[in-house]
Amino acid sequence: MDYEKISVAERVRRTIEAAASRDFAEIRKLTQSCPKETVEITNLEYLNTSRMLMRAASLFELEVRGLLLNITAAQQAGQHDVMLHNLKEIAAVKVAWEEFCDGYDLEPSVLVLAAGGHHPIVSSALQTTLDADPESVNQWSERLRVSASAETAGEIRH
C-alpha cells in the first residue's frame, strides 16, 4: 500500500481502527506519511496546552463515570469487593487529577467546568474521603500524562 496516496477519509478511518487495536506503529506510519501543509497559527504552546488540558479534563470525567458504572454493576451483582476496589480507584484518580491540575496552577473544578462540567453523580463521588493507594495514583497520573502529551495522536513538537 502506498501510504502517501491514501485519501483523508481512508487515513482517518485507518487511524481510528489502529487506535482501537492499540497499533501505535500504524498510527505513526499513517501520521508520518500524511502530506504536510504549512500554515500560520497562534502560538503552538498556547494552543497545544489549552487543547491538551481540555482533553485531559474530558478523560478524567469519563474515567470517573466508568468507575461509577462498574460500581453500579457490582452493586447489582452483590460484589462488594469490586465496589470497594472501584471506590478506591475514584479516590486515586481524584488525587492524580488534583496533582495534575496543580502542575498547571489550575483549580481542578475550574478546568472541569471549562470542559463542560461534572455530571452530578461524578461530583458526588469525588467527595470521597477514602485514602488513595499510591500505586493507583501513579497509574492514573501516567494516564493523565499520556493524554496531556498527545503521544497517541501522533503530534510532533518541534
Side-chain angles (χ1 to χ4, degrees):
M1 172 190 342
D2 188 349
Y3 278 82
E4 292 180 11
K5 293 185 179 179
I6 297 174
S7 71
V8 171
E10 183 178 358
R11 187 178 303 277
V12 169
R13 181 184 54 76
R14 288 174 178 265
T15 300
I16 298 300
E17 290 171 351
S21 65
R22 305 293 188 253
D23 187 349
F24 301 115
E26 180 68 4
I27 293 171
R28 219 173 348 276
K29 186 183 279 187
L30 287 160
T31 301
Q32 291 173 349
S33 65
C34 187
K36 306 296 184 261
E37 296 180 11
T38 302
V39 297
E40 183 175 298
I41 61 172
T42 303
N43 179 280
L44 278 175
E45 182 180 4
Y46 163 76
L47 286 176
N48 288 336
T49 303
S50 297
R51 284 187 281 184
M52 169 276 299
L53 289 169
M54 295 294 197
R55 181 173 53 232
S58 295
L59 171 74
F60 170 69
E61 176 76 12
L62 291 172
E63 291 288 358
V64 175
R65 287 183 186 195
L67 291 167
L68 288 166
L69 286 171
N70 289 343
I71 290 169
T72 301
Q75 182 181 25
Q76 291 172 350
Q79 298 172 322
H80 300 288
D81 57 328
V82 174
M83 289 173 58
L84 181 59
H85 170 77
N86 282 276
L87 285 169
K88 288 181 179 180
E89 287 297 304
I90 289 173
V93 72
K94 175 185 172 184
V95 170
W97 177 246
E98 290 168 349
E99 291 173 354
F100 176 83
C101 290
D102 190 52
Y104 291 91
D105 197 26
L106 288 167
E107 286 295 321
S109 60
V110 172
L111 181 51
V112 167
L113 188 59
H118 280 311
H119 185 283
I121 195 145
V122 172
S123 295
S124 178
L126 293 174
Q127 300 305 312
T128 182
T129 58
L130 288 173
D131 290 330
D133 174 57
E135 179 61 31
S136 289
V137 171
N138 288 339
Q139 290 173 359
W140 285 108
S141 294
E142 179 62 11
R143 286 184 183 178
L144 290 168
R145 185 198 67 74
V146 168
S147 82
S149 70
E151 284 179 15
T152 60
E155 294 179 17
I156 300 171
R157 307 271 194 262
H158 295 282

